Amino acid sequence: MNCETIDWLNKHSGKYELSHSGMSGVFDLKEYFNKSTPGHETDLKEQIGNLHGVDAKNVVLTHGATEAFSMVLYHLHAKYNTFIVNKPEYEMIYKTPEIFGYKEGNELFVASNPNNPTGTLIKFPDTYSSCLIDETFMEFVEKLDKYRYTNGYIVNTFTKVYGGGDLRLGYIIAPDKDEAAKLEGFKGLITEDVSWINVSAGYEILKKHDELLANVKEIINSNHKVLIHEKGKLKFYGGKDPLAMPVSFVDYSGYTAEGSESVSEKLAKEGIIALPAKYFGITGPYLRVCITGKDFPEAYRALLNALEGME
């Protein structure tokens, strides 16, 4: 099993990158690395705990959301054997449980909230035993203390809101301090402590939290207006407009009946990079379009013009 999304993106690049879901390039991360000093792990956990409205002892630092997601799945496999997922969904969410041996069932609900790629808040199943929720995009639409999940684990990353892809810093919010301590126990065995340099850079970033969040929301809100009001014959998945966040799942069937993989390849040849529906676990006339770039209005016009030229 491999990550087809990453494979595809590594093979495609273009002038208009409608595939980048993080705010990369918005901030200069060197500013925060240059201020790094040892000893900020407790401080960073306090900052994260305050944002989520939880005790800092419930916070576990990781090398990003992917590692966080895997650590929780590994931890919970002694309790649960099955998982529930609603597609379309980000590839990591629906593939990683299978890597750990989970079968489809009704015990552990896994999801991104808001959903990647549709850009909408998720609907929970009627019954489940525990949940693992990736809130990577939550802060674009709600405060992080908005949602509580019974017997639930939250993972998040500095990659999206803060443009920190190169920071490799994420975290887990465990249901209580005892569960967090068990997850911390994996460090040195199946993973490592996060570098103090990265931890301290994260601490410096969160010291400017309100300013940075306001800056990215200004970009996203502006681009979101373009997405909604200048969409031509595009529609959105399920007929529901995405929230003002980095991703949307556009329905291009008003332009062509071609499959999404073929459409993505044709767009790529014109320098327009957008992911096809296949990589989100479904088929159909859908592309994930990201609105993070400052050049999004120009890129969006290029996308629409290219679709107009397809039969």
Side-chain angles (χ1 to χ4, degrees):
M1 187 179 295
N2 68 322
C3 185
E4 294 178 280
T5 301
I6 299 300
D7 287 348
W8 194 91
L9 290 174
N10 285 340
K11 294 173 184 175
H12 298 80
S13 62
K15 179 179 180 181
Y16 299 117
E17 290 285 355
L18 294 172
S19 62
H20 289 170
S21 59
M23 304 301 295
S24 56
V26 176
F27 310 119
D28 184 358
L29 289 177
K30 292 193 294 294
E31 171 189 346
Y32 305 103
F33 281 112
N34 289 339
K35 294 178 181 178
S36 293
T37 54
H40 285 303
E41 179 167 324
T42 299
D43 298 323
L44 179 58
K45 287 184 176 182
E46 288 284 352
Q47 290 172 318
I48 293 169
N50 289 338
L51 286 174
H52 283 267
V54 302
D55 193 312
K57 292 179 181 178
N58 293 12
V59 179
V60 179
L61 301 180
T62 67
H63 300 92
T66 302
E67 179 181 274
F69 200 78
S70 295
M71 285 175 66
V72 175
L73 286 171
Y74 183 83
H75 169 58
L76 291 179
H77 203 9
K79 296 181 181 179
Y80 310 114
N81 298 308
T82 63
F83 76 105
I84 318 162
V85 65
N86 297 322
K87 298 175 183 176
E89 185 55 90
Y90 183 53
E91 191 173 359
M92 176 195 77
I93 305 291
Y94 67 85
K95 278 191 173 180
T96 311
E98 293 183 3
I99 292 174
F100 283 98
Y102 290 83
K103 307 297 182 183
E104 290 196 24
N106 60 2
E107 292 178 296
L108 180 63
F109 177 51
V110 295
S112 55
N113 192 31
N115 174 260
N116 176 8
T118 64
T120 58
L121 292 170
I122 60 172
K123 181 179 180 180
F124 282 73
D126 292 334
T127 60
Y128 57 91
S129 300
S130 183
C131 63
L132 172 52
I133 308 298
D134 182 344
E135 287 193 346
T136 291
F137 295 109
M138 182 61 77
E139 205 166 14
F140 287 98
V141 298
E142 295 281 7
K143 289 185 176 181
L144 293 176
D145 62 359
K146 173 75 173 181
Y147 289 94
R148 289 287 184 274
Y149 309 109
T150 302
N151 195 28
Y153 297 75
I154 294 169
V155 303
N156 210 326
T157 178
F158 278 63
T159 302
K160 307 304 179 183
V161 173
Y162 311 111
D166 293 327
L167 188 59
R168 296 302 175 206
L169 181 62
Y171 58 88
I172 302 164
I173 303 292
D176 55 55
K177 64 180 182 180
D178 292 333
E179 290 296 290
K182 292 174 184 176
L183 289 162
E184 289 283 4
F186 293 147
K187 294 179 179 179
L189 297 174
I190 61 172
T191 186
E192 298 289 342
D193 279 321
V194 180
S195 162
W196 68 261
I197 299 172
N198 295 32
V199 169
S200 187
Y203 167 72
E204 294 294 338
I205 286 171
L206 289 190
K207 282 167 66 175
K208 297 179 67 175
H209 171 270
D210 292 352
E211 176 187 342
L212 297 177
L213 182 60
N215 288 343
V216 300
K217 280 193 169 185
E218 183 177 356
I219 295 168
I220 291 297
N221 288 338
S222 176
N223 287 345
H224 185 258
K225 290 176 182 176
V226 175
L227 176 75
I228 299 299
H229 297 297
E230 300 181 22
K231 62 179 181 287
K233 292 183 284 186
L234 290 178
K235 297 175 288 187
F236 296 107
Y237 183 82
K240 188 175 180 180
D241 286 358
L243 300 166
M245 57 171 287
V247 299
S248 66
F249 214 33
V250 299
D251 178 341
Y252 62 78
S253 59
Y255 292 98
T256 176
E258 282 195 55
S260 65
E261 290 178 86
S262 174
V263 169
S264 283
E265 291 293 340
K266 287 186 175 181
L267 290 171
K269 289 178 181 178
E270 297 190 40
I272 304 163
I273 308 302
L275 284 167
K278 172 185 176 181
Y279 301 133
F280 301 94
I282 66 170
T283 58
Y286 307 108
L287 301 170
R288 192 188 72 172
V289 170
C290 298
I291 66 171
T292 53
K294 292 182 178 180
D295 68 341
F296 174 73
E298 179 185 351
Y300 198 38
R301 285 193 294 272
L303 171 67
L304 295 175
N305 289 338
L307 290 172
E308 285 281 1
M310 296 185 187
E311 297 180 356

